[in-house]
Amino acid sequence: MESWRPRPGAAPLTVPLAVYGGRADVVVSPDRLAGWEEHAARFQGLHLFDGGHFYFQDDPAPLLRLVTRHATAALRAPAAVRPS
């Protein structure tokens, strides 16, 4: 998603979107990650972990548990209404 840019005036994404990152990431800062909220109608939050850009490499289990929880919640939620 590094180079994605919304079209001017584009509606927010209608899919559930959760954002994950490292608190000490110098490549993609938490402030930059927080910007995704304005592009998602069903934002599931910004979730930060200790570490840098590859925060998940030492122990991926906490990230995988959270991704599983968010995906499960998204699948159980009523489908979003498509913009007309």
Side-chain angles (χ1 to χ4, degrees):
M1 304 315 307
E2 180 179 330
S3 62
W4 179 80
R5 301 285 183 270
R7 285 176 278 135
L13 301 170
T14 58
V15 297
L17 178 69
V19 178
Y20 312 95
R23 285 185 183 90
D25 192 336
V26 295
V27 177
V28 184
S29 70
D31 287 342
R32 188 168 171 203
L33 292 173
W36 278 101
E37 183 172 9
E38 69 184 79
H39 301 292
R42 297 170 63 191
F43 192 64
Q44 293 178 305
L46 170 60
H47 307 276
L48 299 174
F49 296 85
D50 291 336
H53 193 66
F54 295 103
Y55 62 90
F56 53 86
Q57 283 187 327
D58 289 338
D59 182 10
L63 173 62
L64 294 174
R65 281 191 298 270
L66 195 54
V67 168
T68 299
R69 190 169 86 206
H70 288 137
T72 300
L75 291 170
R76 290 183 178 158
V81 176
R82 291 182 179 221
S84 45

